[in-house]
DNA sequence: TCGGTCACG
DNA sequence: ACGTACGTGACCGAC
């Protein structure tokens, strides 16, 4: 294998990056977008090529021999924008810090340096890669010299590659003829005039016939069309000058020692420092532990006695801001405390520090320190009663608000991204990405884990807060998310009472029917098989029984309900299968599944997750109480096992069409707003408009279809999706949509506007400032991009509704507590709240609940709430 | 661990 | 032409 060198056209790539990467600047206000883009391109190229040598060529800011002649001649050369000019020296500084060789030569352009080096290296037997944004360079392409032209759009970089053959393929011309081409057609961006009246088409035609301009000129009388002939005759000297301008020098007098270009480790302390200064947070991630931190690794001191712990806590309180980590697995194992890089401690529960004592000290920290930063406030609340909304900071929630798309918000990522700190990860410490059983872990490792986590939340707090403020989400954070964490904590503690006996009976009843169906299915199929296996089921239905209804999924036949339903008339077995599926779903997920979560207090304590969804909704796990059946009667019956405490009733309230109301308000569409003000039946109203029938004559089917259209609008309508949902043709669906938008023009404007701003900004926001980034909009893949567009339409609506109910939850919970009620908020299901209320409180609490839900936001239309009470959840909804 | 399926909003 | 509705979580079988 021959060795490889990458040669980079410095100004050209910097220029590309400048225009391709949106405005960026560091905290000092220095523009950094071009440097950032340059580095991204550089890293991408290097990852692909793994060269042994690397050099960047720059022009000097002195007249250069080729272009300057024309610049003098023409008197033009657009000045570089200041924002770009200031990044040129910065770029050189960065490269120097990374140990990258820069080559310049007085009197020569970067092009000429590149051409010369490329020729030298290729002669020396190397593979050469030249990276430039300038197509002029294509003249240098050979079988061993590849020209790579990167394009950066929306921060996404794609690269076109040209060996000699690729140039021929694309331009029909040999590389050297690129010079001839420019001589004829010119190049405005490079100040090459060319000759008038000749563009790429004509120039190519001429060159295919005459190879070069000299030969073409000799045969000028034969040249067609006449316009080209005359132009070449008249402007031949201009063509010759152009040719000279376009020709890149390949034998400039440059002293070049190949060894000086040998690749070395970029990740020097100097580079780390400069990246940090420029706020290149995610480039810092490229520094692994050894190289990154010439600083000492984090040292955690283990605190084993009360005396020492007391002193640490005193210092922490004096310092003001402190990061706390709680090590929890079943029980509390210890707490990490940090208030500086040199102040990192771990206090394990042990002989001298009893759990109760540690909790007291935790209370002390939470009550005495100015700010206590943690990774998961809701979890911390399980171990302290002293936390107050005003002095706690939750780094996980903050990181979630800044980017809600991440799967996890780990302490090491947060420290890396927001504070530029490289900390030991869970994997570094424990050897695997999941926490092992803590009983098997050495004290030193556990201490390091706790210490790193505590330091992470300590050091990332200020940058996170600043970023929340910069992104206009600080209010959202302090007024909604932090109070919500307290609310969710209360809800989790409260839990939902479940009648275990009834649940068991429900499961038994299902079992009987499942057995019947199983027998029936085996009989009809003529064999026993696992009905729950889509693969086996597919084989039975589509191969053995030869039922119609082809493939759908990557792995084989689709046996999804909507497919089977269509087959039902022709095959009774599928009805049994569908029913079997329903029954087994109810049994495994709900009857049996829920039973495993009933605690000694007869209650199920779900976990409410605040940092999961992309839109700002909460989610519920272990178990999921947000997807308890309701649509089918048999499934809905399971709600009878959810019962309130003795002497209590459930109060269940749900918003009526909150998302459509949000849409009406955000879009300010007069027709929809008016319809809501008149308390019209919205789906009927839509049906009347879309299907052109009088309001009073809308059929139930039409109303149902209109309802689907309304849903579609909220989801970011597509004719295909709607047609799928309604089982109609795509054409009909398009017609519905068109008619819908005709009647609600502002809604169309609103949705279009969301897509437009999302494309410009890269994100959308809710009424309360919550952001959802939409990277899919930058995708070159049609499907991904379309998805991004639908998300841009949906997220502001779903997210605003999520914000609203969060506000309602906080206020309801606060009032229940402040006004001395025994009633408790138990559950939220996106547009629904469930309260357990002593019978004596039902009336007042119902009024309170309605008041806070309807008053949670000020929209252009009223928020309406449907409310019911009942002796179980089935009854109450 | 992943994909298919299906429960909810 | 591309092949889809938006947002979740649990369970199952197959790998």
């Amino acid at each position: 294998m021959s060795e490889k060198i990458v040669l980079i056209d410095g100004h050209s790539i910097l220029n590309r990056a400048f225009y391709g990467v949106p405005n960026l600047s560091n905290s000092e206000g220095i523009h950094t977008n071009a440097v950032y883009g340059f580095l991204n391109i550089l890293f991408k190229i290097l990852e692909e090529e793994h060269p042994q040598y690397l050099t960047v060529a720059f022009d000097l800011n002195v007249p250069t021999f080729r272009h300057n002649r024309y610049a003098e001649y023409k008197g033009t050369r657009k000045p570089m924008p200041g924002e770009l000019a200031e990044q040129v020296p910065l770029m050189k500084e960065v490269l120097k810090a990374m140990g990258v060789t820069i080559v310049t030569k007085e009197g020569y352009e970067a092009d000429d340096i590149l051409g010369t080096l490329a020729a030298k290296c290729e002669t020396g037997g190397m593979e050469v890669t030249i990276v430039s944004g300038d197509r002029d360079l294509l003249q240098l392409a050979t079988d061993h010299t590849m020209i790579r032209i990167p394009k950066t759009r929306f921060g996404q970089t794609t690269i076109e590659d040209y060996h000699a053959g690729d140039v021929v393929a694309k331009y029909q011309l040999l590389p050297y003829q690129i010079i001839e081409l420019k001589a004829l057609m010119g190049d405005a961006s490079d100040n090459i005039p060319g000759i008038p009246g000749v563009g790429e088409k004509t120039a190519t035609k001429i060159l295919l016939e005459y190879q070069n301009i000299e030969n073409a000129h000799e045969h000028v009388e034969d040249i067609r069309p006449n316009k080209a002939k005359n132009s070449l005759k008249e402007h031949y000297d201009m063509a010759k000058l152009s040719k000279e301008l376009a020709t890149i020098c390949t034998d400039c007098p440059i002293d070049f020692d190949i060894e000086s270009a040998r690749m070395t480790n970029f990740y020097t302390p100097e580079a780390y420092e400069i990246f940090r200064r420029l706020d290149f947070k995610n480039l810092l991630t490229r520094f692994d532990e050894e190289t990154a931190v010439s600083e000492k690794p984090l040292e955690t001191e283990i605190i084993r006695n009360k005396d020492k712990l007391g002193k640490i806590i005193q210092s922490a309180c004096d310092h003001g801001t402190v990061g706390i980590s709680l090590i929890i697995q079943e029980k509390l194992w210890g707490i990490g405390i940090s208030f500086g890089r040199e102040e990192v401690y771990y206090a394990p529960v042990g002989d001298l520090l009893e759990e109760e004592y540690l909790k007291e000290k935790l209370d002390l920290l939470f009550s005495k320190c100015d700010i206590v930063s943690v990774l998961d406030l809701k979890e911390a609340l399980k171990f302290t009663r002293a936390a107050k909304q005003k002095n706690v900071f939750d780094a996980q929630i903050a990181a979630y608000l800044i980017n809600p798309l991440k799967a996890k918000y780990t302490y090491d990522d947060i420290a890396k991204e927001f504070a530029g700190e490289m900390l030991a990860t869970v994997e570094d410490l424990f050897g695997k990405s999941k926490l092992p059983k803590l009983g098997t872990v050495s004290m030193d490792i556990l201490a390091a884990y706790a210490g790193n986590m505590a330091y992470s939340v300590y050091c990332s707090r200020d940058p996170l807060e600043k970023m929340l403020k910069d992104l206009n989400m600080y209010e959202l954070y302090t007024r909604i998310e932090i109070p919500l964490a307290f609310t969710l904590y209360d809800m989790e503690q409260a839990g939902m009472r479940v009648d275990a006996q009834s649940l068991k009976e429900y499961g038994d009843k299902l079992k009987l029917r499942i057995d019947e169906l199983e027998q029936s299915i085996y009989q009809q199929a003529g064999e026993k098989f696992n009905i729950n296996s889509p693969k086996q089921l597919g084989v039975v239905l589509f191969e053995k029984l030869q039922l119609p209804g082809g493939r759908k999924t990557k792995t084989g036949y689709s046996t999804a309900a909507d497919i089977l339903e269509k087959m039902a008339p022709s095959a009774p077995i599928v009805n049994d299968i569908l029913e079997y599926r329903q029954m087994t779903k109810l049994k495994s997920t709900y009857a049996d599944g829920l039973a495993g979560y009933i605690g000694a207090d007869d209650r199920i304590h779900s976990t409410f997750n605040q940092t999961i969804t992309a839109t700002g909704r909460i989610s519920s796990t272990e178990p999921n109480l947000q997807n308890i059946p309701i649509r089918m009667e048999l499934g809905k019956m399971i709600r009878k096992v959810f019962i309130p405490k003795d002497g209590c009733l459930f109060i269940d309230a749900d918003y009526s069409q909150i998302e459509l109301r949000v849409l009406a308000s955000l879009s300010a569409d007069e027709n929809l707003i008016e319809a809501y003000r008149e308390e019209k039946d919205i789906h009927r109203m839509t049906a009347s408009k879309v299907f052109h029938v009088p309001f009073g004559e809308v059929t139930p089917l039409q109303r149902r279809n209109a309802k689907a259209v309304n849903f579609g609008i909220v989801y970011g309508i597509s004719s295909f999706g709607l047609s799928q949902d309604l089982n109609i043709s795509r054409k009909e669906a398009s017609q519905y949509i068109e008619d819908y938008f005709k009647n609600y023009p502002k809604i169309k404007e609103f949705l279009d506007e969301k897509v437009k701003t999302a494309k410009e900004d890269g994100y959308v926001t809710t009424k309360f400032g919550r952001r959802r980034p939409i990277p899919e909009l930058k995708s070159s893949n049609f499907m991904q991009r379309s998805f991004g567009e639908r998300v841009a339409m949906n997220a502001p609506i779903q997210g605003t509704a999520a914000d609203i109910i969060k506000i309602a939850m906080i206020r309801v919970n606060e009032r229940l507590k402040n006004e001395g009620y025994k009633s408790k908020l138990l559950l939220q299901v996106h547009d629904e709240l469930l309260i357990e209320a002593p019978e004596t409180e039902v009336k007042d609490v119902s009024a309170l609940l309605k008041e806070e839900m309807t008053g949670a936001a000020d929209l252009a239309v009223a928020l309406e709430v449907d409310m019911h009470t009942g002796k179980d959840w089935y009854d109450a909804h």
Side-chain angles (χ1 to χ4, degrees):
Chain A
M1 266 284 274
S2 46
E3 292 194 300
K4 188 185 273 186
I5 184 166
V6 167
L7 302 169
I8 296 188
D9 186 346
H11 275 123
S12 164
I13 294 303
L14 203 57
N15 192 60
R16 286 270 161 151
F18 177 74
Y19 291 106
V21 179
N23 250 331
L24 273 182
S25 49
N26 75 347
S27 51
E28 304 158 31
I30 300 172
H31 290 92
T32 56
N33 63 326
V35 175
Y36 182 78
F38 185 109
L39 290 172
N40 272 319
I41 291 169
L42 174 64
F43 285 129
K44 188 180 162 91
I45 299 266
L46 295 181
E47 268 159 29
E48 289 172 9
E49 308 243 351
H50 303 291
Q52 288 75 34
Y53 302 95
L54 168 69
T55 287
V56 181
F58 278 99
D59 305 328
L60 285 175
N61 289 329
V62 293
T64 54
F65 92 100
R66 280 192 295 115
H67 289 150
N68 196 55
R69 282 176 53 181
Y70 183 63
E72 280 164 8
Y73 158 87
K74 196 81 188 283
T76 60
R77 248 211 132 158
K78 254 201 267 170
M80 207 185 261
E83 294 86 349
L84 175 54
E86 73 182 44
Q87 293 185 61
V88 175
L90 189 60
M91 188 73 243
K92 291 182 180 170
E93 200 185 323
V94 168
L95 290 170
K96 207 171 150 199
M98 292 165 67
V100 175
T101 326
I102 294 171
V103 183
T104 56
K105 175 84 183 171
E106 201 164 316
Y108 293 89
E109 294 214 333
D111 288 0
D112 305 309
I113 300 171
L114 293 169
T116 303
L117 296 187
K120 270 192 184 174
C121 293
E122 189 175 338
T123 308
M126 294 171 78
E127 290 293 319
V128 178
T129 294
I130 299 176
V131 187
S132 175
D134 187 348
R135 287 180 183 275
D136 258 12
L137 278 285
L138 292 180
Q139 64 187 270
L140 300 175
T142 69
D143 290 344
H144 298 283
T145 296
M146 175 165 75
I147 315 300
R148 309 198 67 183
I149 302 182
K151 300 192 158 163
T152 300
R153 286 192 71 223
F154 309 116
Q156 203 84 342
T157 302
T158 51
I159 306 182
E160 285 177 20
D161 295 336
Y162 295 91
H163 277 111
D166 305 309
V167 176
V168 178
K170 171 120 188 191
Y171 295 94
Q172 300 171 271
L173 299 172
L174 292 166
Y176 85 86
Q177 289 179 304
I178 295 293
I179 304 169
E180 313 290 337
L181 186 70
K182 301 265 163 168
L184 290 173
M185 66 179 277
D187 183 345
S189 70
D190 226 1
N191 282 320
I192 297 171
I195 62 175
V198 175
E200 185 172 346
K201 282 247 173 68
T202 314
T204 304
K205 214 175 99 201
I206 293 170
L207 292 172
L208 282 174
E209 192 152 359
Y210 303 103
Q211 292 80 47
N212 58 48
I213 56 168
E214 292 78 7
N215 193 31
H217 189 242
E218 265 176 44
H219 300 86
V220 71
E221 289 307 329
D222 304 335
I223 286 177
R224 293 291 174 276
N226 277 327
K227 196 165 122 191
K229 174 175 76 180
N230 296 333
S231 189
L232 182 57
K233 260 195 201 158
E234 192 180 336
H235 299 106
Y236 182 55
D237 54 341
M238 184 81 95
K240 281 196 293 186
L241 171 63
S242 295
K243 180 169 175 175
E244 201 181 322
L245 291 171
T247 303
I248 292 171
C249 167
T250 56
D251 56 356
C252 307
I254 298 173
D255 298 322
F256 178 69
D257 172 15
I258 183 75
E259 276 315 306
S260 70
R262 186 174 282 282
M263 290 267 295
T264 55
N265 180 16
F266 292 159
Y267 305 108
T268 61
E270 295 80 30
Y272 186 82
E273 262 322 297
I274 197 165
F275 282 15
R276 180 133 81 163
R277 179 158 68 83
L278 297 180
D279 290 344
F280 290 162
K281 299 277 164 56
N282 59 350
L283 292 181
L284 283 175
T285 65
R286 293 173 174 275
F287 290 74
D288 55 35
E289 287 76 357
E290 302 106 320
T291 51
V293 206
S294 49
E295 303 167 66
K296 287 182 296 185
L298 207 58
E299 270 185 49
T300 305
E301 186 181 337
I302 299 174
I303 311 300
R304 297 181 187 275
N305 67 68
K306 295 182 179 173
D307 242 27
K308 180 77 182 166
L309 180 59
K311 286 187 183 124
I312 300 297
I313 289 175
Q314 186 57 52
S315 311
C317 294
D318 292 346
H319 185 269
T321 299
V322 59
I324 299 287
S325 63
L326 300 182
I327 307 307
I328 299 160
Q329 198 177 71
E330 313 288 316
K331 57 169 188 172
L332 182 67
W333 289 70
I335 65 177
I337 303 172
S338 174
F339 44 97
R341 218 173 192 292
E342 309 289 326
E343 306 284 355
V344 186
Y345 306 95
Y346 177 60
V349 172
D351 296 342
L352 298 175
L353 294 170
E354 306 85 358
E355 176 168 349
E356 274 316 305
Y357 183 82
L358 220 49
K359 282 193 198 167
E360 276 173 37
K361 294 296 137 183
L362 206 53
D363 279 346
L364 194 63
L365 280 164
F366 273 94
S367 52
K368 291 279 189 292
C369 292
D370 294 343
I371 296 160
V372 179
S373 182
V374 294
L375 193 65
D376 185 342
L377 171 59
K378 180 158 64 67
E379 188 177 59
L381 293 177
K382 293 174 185 165
F383 298 89
T384 176
R385 288 166 316 228
K388 294 280 174 303
Q389 290 183 14
K390 62 178 183 36
N391 73 344
V392 292
F393 188 85
D394 188 319
Q396 189 167 30
I397 291 176
Y400 164 73
L401 290 181
I402 290 164
N403 178 7
L405 300 185
K406 298 185 115 161
K408 286 206 147 99
Y409 300 89
T410 58
Y411 71 84
D412 52 290
D413 278 350
I414 289 172
K416 189 157 59 181
E417 185 173 348
F418 299 102
E421 285 279 5
M422 304 295 297
L423 300 179
T425 66
V426 168
E427 193 166 358
D428 293 338
L429 295 168
F430 301 104
K432 38 190 144 184
S433 56
K434 270 181 74 179
L435 265 194
K437 281 228 163 40
L438 294 186
T440 68
V441 170
S442 81
M443 179 63 80
D444 284 349
I445 302 272
L446 198 51
Y449 173 60
N452 276 275
M453 195 188 306
Y455 178 65
S456 162
V457 293
Y458 165 76
C459 70
S460 55
R461 195 212 87 103
D462 285 352
L464 281 167
E465 182 183 290
K466 179 178 184 305
M467 193 164 298
L468 287 171
K469 286 177 177 165
D470 288 348
L471 299 179
N472 290 320
M473 284 196 288
Y474 194 59
E475 290 266 297
L476 175 69
Y477 170 82
T478 55
R479 307 277 285 264
I480 297 183
E481 297 298 335
I482 288 298
L484 183 72
F486 286 85
T487 306
L488 294 176
Y489 169 77
D490 290 339
M491 290 164 62
E492 288 182 8
Q493 292 304 305
M496 279 261 266
R497 185 181 175 199
V498 170
D499 181 345
Q501 183 60 37
S502 306
L503 186 61
K504 173 82 169 59
E505 287 163 16
Y506 181 77
D508 292 344
K509 202 172 79 186
L510 292 170
K511 179 74 167 58
L512 289 177
R513 183 64 184 145
I514 287 169
D515 289 345
E516 278 176 24
L517 288 164
E518 203 175 72
Q519 290 313 314
S520 167
I521 290 166
Y522 291 159
Q523 202 220 323
Q524 290 175 77
E527 65 173 304
K528 280 196 170 186
F529 64 101
N530 190 339
I531 308 167
N532 281 321
S533 161
K535 195 177 167 189
Q536 293 182 37
L537 180 62
V539 171
V540 169
L541 290 181
F542 301 112
E543 288 176 16
K544 180 153 192 219
L545 299 180
Q546 290 287 310
L547 295 176
R551 6 173 82 261
K552 208 179 106 182
T553 65
K554 293 162 224 163
T555 50
Y557 305 104
S558 171
T559 62
D562 58 328
I563 305 266
L564 296 190
E565 272 161 23
K566 285 176 190 160
M567 301 162 48
S570 58
I573 189 175
V574 305
N575 282 318
D576 287 347
I577 291 166
L578 286 166
E579 193 184 349
Y580 175 89
R581 283 244 180 96
Q582 283 185 9
M583 299 298 128
T584 52
K585 175 89 175 184
L586 291 174
K587 182 146 197 318
S588 67
T589 303
Y590 300 104
D592 300 348
L594 289 175
Y597 290 102
I598 302 174
D601 57 355
D602 282 344
R603 300 177 80 94
I604 290 179
H605 301 268
S606 175
T607 302
F608 296 106
N609 310 292
Q610 205 180 342
T611 58
I612 297 288
T613 71
T615 51
R617 281 183 173 184
I618 59 172
S619 87
S620 157
T621 49
E622 295 185 317
N624 182 355
L625 292 184
Q626 290 181 321
N627 72 344
I628 303 301
I630 192 168
R631 294 174 189 167
M632 305 290 284
E633 182 56 28
L634 183 69
K636 188 174 175 181
M637 300 281 271
I638 202 171
R639 293 184 172 225
K640 287 183 188 292
V641 311
F642 290 91
I643 52 175
K645 191 160 115 182
D646 291 336
C648 291
L649 290 174
F650 278 147
I651 308 171
D652 183 295
D654 66 285
Y655 281 114
S656 160
Q657 296 165 348
I658 185 170
E659 292 186 344
L660 275 183
R661 287 172 197 264
V662 165
L663 175 61
S665 185
L666 293 181
S667 69
D669 184 278
E670 293 88 356
N671 292 342
L672 195 53
I673 290 173
E674 191 57 25
Y676 272 117
R677 293 227 168 116
E678 290 170 11
E679 300 186 24
K680 286 242 176 77
D681 174 340
I682 290 302
H683 301 318
R684 176 174 285 268
M685 172 93 177
T686 301
S688 150
K689 303 249 166 143
V690 171
F691 303 125
H692 314 290
V693 290
F695 188 81
E697 291 170 29
V698 172
T699 66
L701 176 67
Q702 286 172 325
R703 187 180 181 281
R704 213 168 46 243
N705 288 352
K707 191 172 171 179
V709 174
N710 280 328
F711 270 104
I713 296 294
V714 170
Y715 290 160
I717 196 101
S718 81
S719 58
F720 200 93
L722 184 63
S723 70
Q724 197 76 3
D725 193 52
L726 289 181
N727 247 323
I728 56 177
S729 76
R730 219 175 130 169
K731 211 169 161 192
E732 285 175 280
S734 302
Q735 190 60 51
Y736 290 3
I737 295 167
E738 198 181 303
D739 287 342
Y740 182 95
F741 285 141
K742 242 180 239 159
N743 283 288
Y744 303 109
K746 285 270 186 65
I747 292 184
K748 171 134 180 64
E749 275 176 40
F750 170 77
L751 297 175
D752 288 347
E753 150 77 11
K754 286 298 130 192
V755 172
K756 181 163 167 279
T757 58
K759 284 186 173 167
E760 284 163 10
D761 304 339
Y763 63 90
V764 288
T765 59
T766 68
K767 182 176 169 66
F768 296 90
R770 183 185 307 279
R771 288 181 177 230
R772 168 159 185 179
I774 313 181
E776 293 87 353
L777 286 173
K778 294 168 196 158
S779 170
S780 57
N781 177 300
F782 172 84
M783 210 188 76
Q784 292 252 310
R785 225 169 36 244
S786 306
F787 172 75
E789 290 171 3
R790 294 195 293 274
V791 161
M793 299 187 247
N794 172 264
I797 303 170
Q798 189 180 126
T800 300
D803 295 342
I804 291 172
I805 196 165
K806 281 178 170 178
I807 293 167
M809 290 165 70
I810 294 160
R811 292 189 185 166
V812 166
N813 192 52
E814 280 301 301
R815 280 192 62 188
L816 289 178
K817 294 200 329 190
N818 292 343
E819 296 174 21
Y821 290 107
K822 293 206 174 75
S823 297
K824 282 176 175 163
L825 181 60
L826 303 187
L827 188 64
Q828 183 248 49
V829 193
H830 310 310
D831 65 352
E832 169 190 3
L833 296 180
L834 185 71
I835 285 178
E836 179 182 71
E839 285 172 43
T840 53
E841 294 182 5
V842 166
K843 194 158 164 271
D844 291 348
V845 169
S846 296
L848 178 160
L849 178 61
K850 189 159 209 161
E851 184 183 332
E852 296 305 337
M853 284 179 78
T854 54
D858 185 20
L859 300 187
V861 296
L863 283 167
E864 295 222 1
V865 169
D866 293 325
M867 207 159 62
H868 305 93
T869 58
K871 63 179 182 353
D872 59 52
W873 196 9
Y874 180 96
D875 242 21
H877 194 99

